[in-house]
Amino acid sequence: MAAVLDPKAAGALMRAIDGYQGQPLTRAALLLSALLFQRPGNIRAMEWAWIDFEAAMMTIPAASMKRTIEGKINGRPHFVPLAPQAIEVLKEIHALTGHGRYVFPSARTGERPMSDATVGAALRRLGYTSDEMTAHGFRAMARTLLIERLPGIQADVIEAQLAHGKSGPLGAAYDRADYMEQRRQLMSIWANYLVQIKNGAEIIQFKQAGVAA
């Protein structure tokens, strides 16, 4: 699952997405893939019922997460705080698809979400081969740059936002509302960073430092 991991290359990717000339919904899916760094299946199958504009939160039901059957049935939902940039993208496309179930409905029928190949095809259209960047690569891009380039972000907070499972007796409790304030800060810091590198801001590598949980 190839990914862009260098800040300058990531900035170039964000500029390419910003100038995408294809369908508006596909461009929005690319932007939200970068801003939210959730699994591609959760991006393309995103439902308007999951979005709370007032609370600036997306809540993905447990049944829609990559989990065991037990986790899907009895697990807690996954919370994704929405930075202002993500809210802006969602509000822009609400006028297009807000009347239906899916944020990104299929072009053929609104009864299904967009194809799992759409974001990948858009990346190819932007000139990125499958060996350079993939839909899943936005997750690796976020995790790498957050850890290596931004100060004061605790790895556990990033892992919670990625919805990575945690072994041990705590198990699924890891992805509850723990670290929620830090996760809100994380998503805002990340969205602002994407804007900065898109605009060609100077990239400074910080020493890794943990934010208190």
Side-chain angles (χ1 to χ4, degrees):
M1 298 181 183
V4 170
L5 304 178
D6 174 76
K8 291 183 179 180
L13 172 61
M14 295 310 298
R15 288 190 293 275
I17 293 173
D18 195 51
Y20 183 73
Q21 297 298 310
Q23 294 293 327
L25 289 182
T26 303
R27 177 179 177 274
L30 286 164
L31 284 171
L32 290 178
S33 294
L35 286 165
L36 305 183
F37 53 88
Q38 297 304 298
R39 292 186 174 90
N42 291 136
I43 294 293
R44 70 180 186 84
M46 190 186 303
E47 300 184 21
W48 285 114
W50 300 356
I51 308 299
D52 186 334
F53 284 111
E54 185 174 350
M57 183 70 69
M58 177 169 74
T59 303
I60 306 176
S64 297
M65 294 298 295
K66 182 182 178 182
R67 294 177 180 170
T68 63
I69 295 177
E70 172 67 20
K72 287 177 176 288
I73 295 174
N74 297 315
R76 294 288 298 273
H78 178 55
F79 302 101
V80 184
L82 302 172
Q85 293 90 336
I87 290 288
E88 181 180 359
V89 174
L90 286 165
K91 285 186 174 180
E92 286 178 356
I93 58 177
H94 189 267
L96 300 176
T97 68
H99 59 280
R101 174 181 178 182
Y102 294 107
V103 175
F104 300 112
S106 167
R108 296 182 179 179
T109 170
E111 298 178 0
R112 297 180 180 178
M114 68 164 43
S115 165
D116 58 0
T118 302
V119 170
L123 289 168
R124 305 293 89 76
R125 180 171 178 173
L126 290 174
Y128 292 87
T129 70
S130 58
D131 293 326
E132 294 172 321
M133 186 60 181
T134 61
H136 201 277
F138 287 104
R139 288 168 62 78
M141 184 177 86
R143 191 188 189 287
T144 299
L145 295 180
L146 282 166
I147 287 290
E148 294 184 354
R149 301 289 169 164
L150 294 170
I153 298 176
Q154 191 178 45
D156 280 354
V157 177
I158 300 172
E159 292 299 301
Q161 198 52 62
L162 285 163
H164 280 163
K166 185 178 183 181
S167 61
L170 292 180
Y174 184 63
D175 188 41
R176 299 186 182 182
D178 299 332
Y179 308 120
M180 188 50 63
E181 183 57 35
Q182 292 91 332
R183 286 161 70 175
R184 284 188 180 277
Q185 295 174 10
L186 165 70
M187 300 306 280
S188 180
I189 289 170
W190 174 244
N192 290 336
Y193 179 72
L194 288 179
V195 172
Q196 291 169 3
I197 60 174
K198 183 189 76 172
N199 293 335
E202 181 179 0
I203 305 300
I204 302 174
Q205 182 163 6
F206 297 91
K207 292 182 179 180
Q208 187 172 339
V211 165

